[in-house]
Amino acid sequence: MTIISRRIALGLPLVALAAPALVRPASGQPAWPSRPIRLVVPYAPGGTTDVMARLVAEQIGQRLGQPVIVENRPGAGATIGAAMVAQAEPDGLTLLMSNSGSHGVSPSLYPTLSYDPMRDFTHVALVVTSPSVLVVTKGHPAQDMAQFIAHVRRAGEIDFAVSGVGSSSHLTGVRLGLALGVRVLAVPYRGAGPAMTDTIAGVVPAMMDSLPSAAQHINSGSVRALAVSSATRSNRFPNLPTLQESGVDVVNSAWFGISGPAGLPAPIVTRLAAVIRESLAQPAMITRFEDLTGAPPPESTPESYTEFVRSEIASFAPIVRAAGINPT
């Protein structure tokens, strides 16, 4: 079956495809990629990870000459999908949208995690970072971050909704509470949608959410945004200060990248990293990423992403302990 007929069968859009650059492995082995690639997203469809994965998958598929099929395997804080990829053959045909949940938080959150986030994976490239944003209900007394800080210090606690236990947004809120010296009362929901619904309704006074998820509600005026957790302001909301600018020493972002099973052959890693880099450098992709996350795609190599994952594991560990999170 030709590339074009395969794309028609899969319901994918027809686009002009460059001649595929195949990786020639050891003698007797088929060229890579010899068939469609599976990109596992360890979250449900429609979320930030899923949206970003599909954008990148389309671009990678064009350059490799094979479709990259996104497969959603949600559950257990992103560890179900991650464990599946850890056990896959290292042939470059099964990849993972690794992320701050599966590879940053989970190693500290789950004492019986079935995989080692470093030993059992080949990390290829960091694809996107996405800050959290603190929003409050329209009726909240705080009009800005300074007033919010004064409010929670008077109350002695910070009460906010999060999309799930151990999520990046959850731990950003924990870090905020620790920095302010107040008790943290995080209310976990099964996803950002239900959490935002209750925040808009005033069931909870505030929410820590990913910026792409909260953007439409900020724009509509359903909630009031106070600050973002990134190191610099968001290009999408340039008037919104960072937590650091607001006097709170907290910087934290969710992140997503592409990884494969341990033992992924070096020629495949090199080619895949180059294709991801080429894909993210496209003007249309840069614009799309800025629209969704407020920042362009990060620059990354297999080496830098590997060290980034290692540093994030170490960074999240004390926060998970301080939060006393029980995943069950």
Side-chain angles (χ1 to χ4, degrees):
M1 183 184 290
T2 66
I3 294 169
I4 291 177
S5 61
R6 186 184 293 113
R7 293 176 69 81
I8 292 174
L10 291 168
L12 298 172
L14 292 177
V15 294
L17 296 175
L22 302 178
V23 172
R24 301 289 178 184
S27 177
Q29 297 295 317
W32 179 85
S34 59
R35 52 188 173 86
I37 296 170
R38 177 174 57 161
L39 177 58
V40 175
V41 172
Y43 293 104
T48 301
T49 315
D50 182 65
V51 170
M52 292 300 178
R54 292 177 189 279
L55 283 174
V56 176
E58 177 67 21
Q59 291 289 322
I60 294 174
Q62 291 178 25
R63 287 165 177 77
L64 290 179
Q66 288 283 359
V68 177
I69 310 300
V70 172
E71 181 177 321
N72 298 91
R73 288 296 184 97
T79 63
I80 291 177
M84 185 178 73
V85 175
Q87 297 165 9
E89 288 294 322
D91 54 10
L93 298 176
T94 301
L95 303 172
L96 174 72
M97 200 70 171
S98 49
N99 57 84
S100 47
S102 64
H103 283 68
V105 176
S106 290
S108 299
L109 188 61
Y110 297 97
T112 58
L113 194 63
S114 65
Y115 60 84
D116 184 293
M118 301 304 299
R119 184 190 63 229
D120 296 334
F121 293 88
T122 303
H123 299 301
V124 180
L126 178 65
V127 171
V128 61
T129 60
S130 177
S132 297
V133 58
L134 175 65
V135 300
V136 295
T137 61
K138 291 192 297 184
H140 198 284
Q143 298 297 310
D144 56 30
M145 196 62 196
Q147 293 181 7
F148 182 82
I149 292 172
H151 175 79
V152 298
R153 279 181 169 160
R154 283 195 302 270
E157 62 186 30
I158 179 171
D159 187 2
F160 60 95
V162 293
S163 60
V165 174
S167 65
S168 179
S169 294
H170 181 186
L171 295 184
T172 301
V174 170
R175 283 176 161 159
L176 176 60
L178 292 173
L180 295 178
V182 299
R183 186 170 58 147
V184 175
L185 298 176
V187 183
Y189 286 80
R190 292 185 179 274
M196 181 60 76
T197 296
D198 272 9
T199 304
I200 292 172
V203 176
V204 286
M207 179 179 178
M208 193 68 77
D209 195 11
S210 72
L211 187 60
S213 174
Q216 61 176 320
H217 304 289
I218 297 170
N219 287 329
S220 70
S222 299
V223 292
R224 183 185 308 124
L226 300 183
V228 292
S229 67
S230 47
T232 59
R233 293 195 180 199
S234 163
N235 293 341
R236 189 171 185 182
F237 296 98
N239 295 325
L240 195 59
T242 67
L243 290 172
Q244 279 193 324
E245 286 181 279
S246 305
V248 185
D249 189 19
V250 172
V251 176
N252 190 62
S253 291
W255 47 266
F256 316 99
I258 291 183
S259 303
L264 205 60
I268 292 178
V269 174
T270 299
R271 177 59 183 150
L272 182 57
V275 165
I276 294 170
R277 185 165 56 250
E278 293 165 8
S279 299
L280 298 183
Q282 299 303 305
M285 288 288 281
I286 293 173
T287 299
R288 184 66 173 140
F289 270 58
E290 288 182 333
D291 287 344
L292 288 170
T293 70
E299 295 183 3
S300 178
T301 65
E303 295 76 18
S304 67
Y305 186 39
T306 299
E307 288 309 308
F308 177 82
V309 174
R310 194 188 311 277
S311 67
E312 286 291 282
I313 294 170
S315 174
F316 277 118
I319 305 303
V320 171
R321 288 195 297 269
I325 300 171
N326 182 353
T328 60

